[in-house]
Amino acid sequence: MTGLVAVILPLYVSILSLIFGYDEAELVFVGDAMQHSAQLDAARCGKNTYDYSSYFASLPPCVAMADFAVVNLETPVSSPPYSGYPCFNAPPEFARALKEAGFDLFLTANNHTLDRGAAGLRATIANLDTLGVRHLGTYECDSARAKALPLIANINNIKVGFLNYTYGTNGINPSQGVVVDYIDRNRIKADVDSTRAAGAEAIAVCIHWGDEYVLLPNKSQQRTADFLEALGVDMIIGAHPHVIQPMEFRPNRYYPEKNIFLVYSLGNFVSNMKTPDTRGGALARVRLKRGEDNKITVSEAYYKLLFTIPGSSPKNNYKVLEADKVEDPAWRSKAETFISRAKAIFDKHNIAVPESTE
C-alpha cells in the first residue's frame, strides 16, 4: 500500500497544481539608477523642471510584467539645486519615472545616500512616500526603522522579505538622528532572524559592496556572501561596482534543501558613465515557487543585458534598451563591445544562470 501511495500522491498533487496552481512569482532586479550632470542637462525642460518620460519606454516587457521589481536608487531625490557626481541630487521626476516604469521597491542604502546630508536623506524619503513607493535602507530615525522593518511583500501569496545594506557612505557620517543600514554582521543576522520570524518565506538581501569597475568579486564580497548563505537567505543581490559581476544559482551549501541566487553585481541600470563596461548592466529575473512540501524556493534565474544610449534634450533623452536591440549606428558597436565583455564574464563564471531568451 505504501508503494501505491508513493506513486499516486505525486500524481494527485500534480493534478491539483494544474487545476489550482501552486504559488509562483517572478521578481526582477536591476542595478544602479544614477543621475550625472549630463543626464540632468538633457532632462531639463525649464527651471527645476525635468522630463524623463522617454527614459524607460524601451525597457524589456519583463519589468512592467514582473510581479515585483526592485531598483537601486543611487542618488538622493531632494530639493534644488540638483547635481551629478561627486555629490548627487536628482529631481523627484526621476523617481516618478522609475515608478511608472514598473519598479515596486527602491533601495536607498548606498555610498551616495548622504550626498546631501541628513536633510537630503529625509527629503528623499518624503519624496518616495509622496510617490507611494516602497523604499528600504535609510530611515529618518531609529523608531522609523523599527516601524519599517521587517519589510515583507506579499507577492502572489508568497511572503518575501527584503533587506538592504551598504559598505559605507563616502566618509559622510549620519547626523541629526538619520539611520543608514551599513554592512554589520550582528545587525544583518538580527534582521534576517526577525524577518523570518515575522513570516517571510523567502528573503532577499540587497547589498552595496565590492570594488568599482572590477568585473570579478573581491574576497570581502565572497566572505560576506558566504555569511549570508549560512544565514539561509534565498537571494543576494549586489550593486556598487558599476560593472557586471558573476551570478550563481545553486543549492545552498548549508541548507541543501534550499536554492540560493547570488548576484555579485548587476552593474549600472542607467548612468552617464562612458567606458564599455559601465555603459550597460544586467537585469536579473528570478522565479519563486511553492513546492509540494508548501515551502518556497528559488526555482529559476536568468539575466538580460541592458544598455544606455545618451541624449541631449527631453525630446532626445537618455534611453535604456535591451543591449542586443541597440540599432543606433553611433552606439551599436559600443553595445556589441559591452555584450561581448559581459558575456565573456558570465559564460566563464556564472553558475546555472543563463541569458533569458524570452
Side-chain angles (χ1 to χ4, degrees), residues 49-315:
T49 59
Y50 295 81
D51 183 356
Y52 295 94
S53 57
S54 64
Y55 245 53
F56 307 117
S58 299
L59 278 181
C62 61
V63 175
M65 293 175 65
D67 298 305
F68 201 80
V70 183
V71 61
N72 178 49
L73 181 65
E74 193 155 359
T75 174
V77 178
S78 185
S79 55
Y82 302 119
S83 59
Y85 182 84
C87 286
F88 290 105
N89 185 32
E93 288 91 339
F94 179 54
R96 183 179 298 113
L98 288 166
K99 177 189 176 181
E100 291 174 352
F103 291 101
D104 303 286
L105 177 62
F106 289 45
L107 308 173
T108 57
N110 56 67
N111 58 305
H112 288 288
T113 198
L114 289 175
D115 280 5
R116 285 302 176 97
L121 185 151
R122 288 197 169 103
T124 298
I125 291 172
N127 282 323
L128 295 180
D129 286 343
T130 298
L131 285 172
V133 295
R134 294 181 176 184
H135 49 89
L136 179 67
T138 57
Y139 312 91
E140 291 187 281
C141 58
D142 287 326
S143 61
R145 183 184 194 274
K147 184 178 179 180
L149 297 181
L151 194 161
I152 299 176
N154 190 321
I155 309 170
N156 289 357
N157 204 35
I158 299 174
K159 295 178 180 178
V160 184
F162 293 89
L163 295 164
N164 179 213
Y165 306 94
T166 181
Y167 75 92
T169 45
N170 292 346
I172 306 172
N173 295 322
S175 62
Q176 302 176 32
V178 300
V179 178
V180 177
D181 276 348
Y182 295 103
I183 298 172
D184 175 277
R185 292 195 176 195
N186 291 332
R187 167 160 279 192
I188 292 173
K189 183 181 186 307
D191 290 343
V192 169
D193 289 345
S194 63
T195 301
R196 187 173 288 123
E201 300 175 284
I203 296 177
V205 175
C206 303
I207 190 162
H208 215 71
W209 60 359
D211 296 323
E212 290 184 324
Y213 319 121
V214 178
L215 293 165
L216 293 174
N218 62 29
K219 294 296 183 183
S220 177
Q221 285 172 278
Q222 292 170 338
R223 288 191 295 266
T224 302
D226 185 71
F227 165 74
L228 293 170
E229 184 175 357
L231 292 180
V233 307
D234 302 87
M235 294 161 277
I236 304 169
I237 310 296
H240 175 64
H242 300 302
V243 296
I244 59 92
Q245 291 182 344
M247 308 177 180
E248 301 178 10
F249 172 55
R250 53 176 172 74
N252 185 305
R253 292 168 295 176
Y254 301 91
Y255 304 92
E257 72 279 7
K258 294 168 62 74
N259 292 328
I260 188 167
F261 178 49
L262 165 61
V263 179
Y264 281 109
S265 174
L266 288 171
N268 287 331
F269 174 51
V270 60
S271 78
N272 190 49
M273 291 188 174
K274 296 180 172 62
T275 66
D277 295 329
T278 60
R279 180 59 75 178
L283 172 154
R285 302 177 64 193
V286 189
R287 290 198 176 114
L288 303 180
K289 185 174 183 178
R290 190 179 302 281
E292 297 175 11
D293 58 0
N294 200 41
K295 293 181 179 178
I296 298 299
T297 189
V298 181
S299 61
E300 297 175 89
Y302 305 90
Y303 75 86
K304 186 179 288 290
L305 294 177
L306 305 175
F307 190 82
T308 296
I309 294 179
S312 56
S313 70
K315 292 183 178 180

